[in-house]
Amino acid sequence: MKVIKTVSTMKALAREWRREGKRVGLVPTMGYLHEGHLSLVRESRGRADVSVVSIFVNPTQFGPNEDFKKYPRDLGKDSAYLREAGIDGLFYPEASEIYPPGYRTYVDIEGLQDRLCGRSRPGHFRGVATVVLKLFDIVGPDFAFFGAKDAQQVLIIKRMAADLNLDVEVVTCPIVREPDGLALSSRNAYLSPGERKAARVLSTSLRWAEKAVGAGERDAERLVAGIRSILEAEPLARIDYAEAVDPETLEPVAEIHGEVLVALAVFFGATRLIDNLRLNV
Ligand code: AMP
């Protein structure tokens, strides 16, 4: 596995791969890898001839009072995982390599970036879209792999790829969960034992919603109210949002019909976790 730290080296390597006719897979991450990330890595290994994982804690997607500084990092462990997984390249640039002095260009995905997580994290998706577009340019992947856990993120990246005619297939991979249902996340490391237990309520509420829809519930307001009451019964949980939305526009739906995304963001102490359920009725 090659560890690449500069844009020019990464571009040169990717150019060489393409010249050899190899199809390139890219898995963008912020590191502190877990089984969720590794599921994306395996998908890339299965589809592409060569696979690159990027590890970059992207400063532009964090708000001023967010956890950029304390975001968990463990390059030693991450590179061991990636070597074992058979990854060809680890792209690990410094922030100054991606955003050199004088940097001024950003990508806005109008409308989509202001809903759900965008409401409580203004500027977040602008940072995400910008760094992902830069990674697409640097690596030139045929495929890029994203987790369904970050449903709004995948939607935004797909929108950007379509709008800008990017030659990349954006692949969505299913949510990987702990045995008790909690979606894996690097931020789970922040949770105290009590908060970790409480965080089960996220998937519990979504499983309830799935059952309720299975039993015939079609009223979105009632469904969301049911989810909220399960979340509110957990004293350590503080709801940021719970919504049932159209998975393409992210606009709230009134009726559970066709494709619906039920999306949650909940604080446990200072840690904000997200989860979602995709319904097809
Ligand atoms: P992150 O390092 O948190 O930016 O995540 C990098 C990629 O891994 C994103 O595409 C995430 O959606 C994906 N990912 C994170 N957690 C999970 C999970 N539990 N299951 C599937 N994919 C995940």
Side-chain angles (χ1 to χ4, degrees):
M1 180 179 80
K2 291 201 166 91
V3 179
I4 303 115
K5 297 207 66 177
T6 67
V7 169
S8 58
T9 316
M10 187 67 246
K11 280 196 163 199
L13 182 60
R15 221 178 294 125
E16 196 180 305
W17 284 331
R18 276 194 300 278
R19 231 187 344 251
E20 292 167 359
K22 291 181 171 151
R23 286 178 316 162
V24 180
L26 171 66
V27 180
T29 81
M30 298 205 297
Y32 212 68
L33 302 179
H34 52 65
E35 205 38 53
H37 298 113
L38 296 177
S39 72
L40 272 52
V41 163
R42 281 192 289 273
E43 193 67 26
S44 179
R45 293 264 293 131
R47 290 224 198 181
D49 302 311
V50 285
S51 292
V52 176
V53 172
S54 60
I55 295 183
F56 182 59
V57 183
N58 174 33
T60 64
Q61 72 188 64
F62 287 80
N65 299 316
E66 291 185 352
D67 54 343
F68 173 67
K69 282 229 169 81
K70 68 165 192 169
Y71 195 84
R73 293 160 169 91
D74 191 340
L75 184 65
K77 214 163 158 189
D78 287 352
S79 31
Y81 281 153
L82 296 176
R83 208 164 267 131
E84 169 146 346
I87 281 295
D88 303 273
L90 164 58
F91 183 47
Y92 178 69
E94 300 274 348
S96 60
E97 184 69 16
I98 299 297
Y99 303 110
Y103 190 89
R104 290 216 156 265
T105 306
Y106 295 89
V107 182
D108 282 304
I109 315 292
E110 292 183 356
L112 293 182
Q113 69 181 6
D114 304 318
R115 297 186 177 274
L116 302 179
C117 290
R119 220 172 304 128
S120 37
R121 304 188 70 189
H124 170 68
F125 289 110
R126 182 181 204 238
V128 169
T130 300
V131 79
V132 171
L133 182 62
K134 284 179 69 85
L135 290 169
F136 284 179
D137 173 65
I138 294 163
V139 178
D142 298 275
F143 309 100
F145 300 86
F146 294 86
K149 185 175 81 85
D150 299 82
Q152 188 174 10
Q153 171 170 279
V154 197
L155 174 68
I156 280 176
I157 300 303
K158 285 191 168 161
R159 187 74 259 160
M160 175 178 78
D163 289 353
L164 300 180
N165 313 106
L166 304 181
D167 283 325
V168 57
E169 184 184 333
V170 176
V171 181
T172 311
C173 304
I175 304 177
V176 178
R177 297 177 179 281
E178 298 279 8
D180 70 355
L182 178 65
L184 295 185
S185 163
S186 308
R187 289 192 168 97
N188 292 349
Y190 296 146
L191 301 171
S192 70
E195 290 164 349
R196 168 63 188 82
K197 236 183 184 168
R200 288 186 300 199
V201 74
L202 282 167
S203 59
T204 306
S205 71
L206 291 174
R207 274 204 311 273
W208 172 83
E210 195 168 27
K211 268 204 199 126
V213 171
E217 180 62 84
R218 294 293 177 268
D219 184 82
E221 203 172 308
R222 253 193 331 250
L223 189 72
V224 170
I227 292 173
R228 294 188 77 98
S229 69
I230 293 171
L231 294 171
E232 280 160 3
E234 170 49 63
L236 294 183
R238 184 168 58 82
I239 302 174
D240 179 12
Y241 67 76
E243 289 190 46
V245 300
D246 178 304
E248 296 302 317
T249 64
L250 303 182
E251 280 169 35
V253 296
E255 203 193 332
I256 306 298
H257 172 74
E259 299 259 349
V260 175
L261 174 70
V262 180
L264 312 176
V266 177
F267 283 96
F268 298 87
T271 305
R272 183 177 172 282
L273 300 180
I274 57 173
D275 200 348
N276 70 78
L277 163 71
R278 186 74 180 245
L279 293 166
N280 190 352
V281 182

